[in-house]
Amino acid sequence: MSKTAFDIVQKARSNTRQTGLDYIHALLPDFLELHGDRRYGDDASIVGGIGTLDDMPVTVIAIEKGHAAKERAMRNFGSPHPEGYRKALRLMKQAEKFHRPVICLVDTSGAYCGVGAEERGQGQAIAENLMEMMTLNTPIVSIVIGEGGSGGALALAVADRVWMLQSAIYSVISPEGCASILWKNAKLAAEAANCLRLTAEDAYHLGVIEEVIQEEGRTTEELNAFIKQRLRDTLRGLKAEPELTEKRYARFRKIGAAPQAIPALIQPQEEIDL
């Protein structure tokens, strides 16, 4: 039986999926976590630091949900505060300074929308990430590993290459939020999911991402090994690529561009007999 879009939503949200830290430890055995935004505090929902991908020094930044209930609460269920995004930007600017590629692992239902987050400049923090990542002079690869929700996800996804796992989602709004706005009924989330085109397959066909990473038929170890190899090969290629920031800018400019004018179906006659 084929899966519906909402089936994929539920799988993307499962607490049995690998989280950002799981991938980090599989990819970078020598990972060293760095903390704080140097302005306000340290946000546990975003984990970042440095390590080596085989022989390549990299900076990795992940939105972390956690597994057990206590850990999920400590991680704010993967909904970052402004200081989390500022920490991520600090680490990305550090990576640019030391010529390290950046890997971002995205898994969030969205940025935290509490009063405190708004008071500390949530919108500005996300906007600064979008602006700075567009011109960051080092390769960036972002992978949506679970949920990719709204601006909270996009703040770590302005990259040279954006990939999604097969059972991940990427959307401007959650299905429940969409159903509540359009039909005043969050119980219609399954119908909203079908309309949102939020699956990895949809994102690939729309040109939003470059690659869908297959999960079915692979063990966790096989999946991690494949991602590690793809990252290593892709980052080496991007490091040698000229005009990196110009190509990144062009990549995002073409998303959602209107198609060229459709030629008229009926061409005017050169001569009209009266």
Side-chain angles (χ1 to χ4, degrees), residues 140-186:
I140 312 171
V141 174
S142 292
I143 310 175
V144 182
I145 60 173
E147 287 187 276
S150 192
L154 190 59
L156 292 183
V158 179
D160 302 293
R161 301 289 185 272
V162 181
W163 304 338
M164 287 179 66
L165 266 62
Q166 185 179 23
S167 297
I169 59 172
Y170 199 13
S171 177
V172 69
I173 192 172
S174 69
E176 293 83 359
C178 177
S180 296
I181 292 171
L182 293 183
W183 305 309
K184 313 300 181 187
N185 187 354

Side-chain angles (χ1 to χ4, degrees), residues 110-146:
Y112 186 59
C113 56
V115 173
E118 295 298 329
E119 289 175 342
R120 297 194 298 277
Q122 185 72 284
Q124 184 180 10
I126 293 173
E128 285 178 349
N129 276 31
L130 303 182
M131 179 180 69
E132 295 287 352
M133 289 181 77
M134 189 62 74
T135 59
L136 198 74
N137 196 22
T138 195
I140 312 171
V141 174
S142 292
I143 310 175
V144 182
I145 60 173

Side-chain angles (χ1 to χ4, degrees), residues 9 44 49 58 67 91 98 106 117 123 134 137 157 177 189 201 236 257 263:
V9 170
V58 298
H67 288 289
L91 296 180
F98 292 103
V106 177
M134 189 62 74
N137 196 22
E201 183 179 354
R236 283 175 177 165

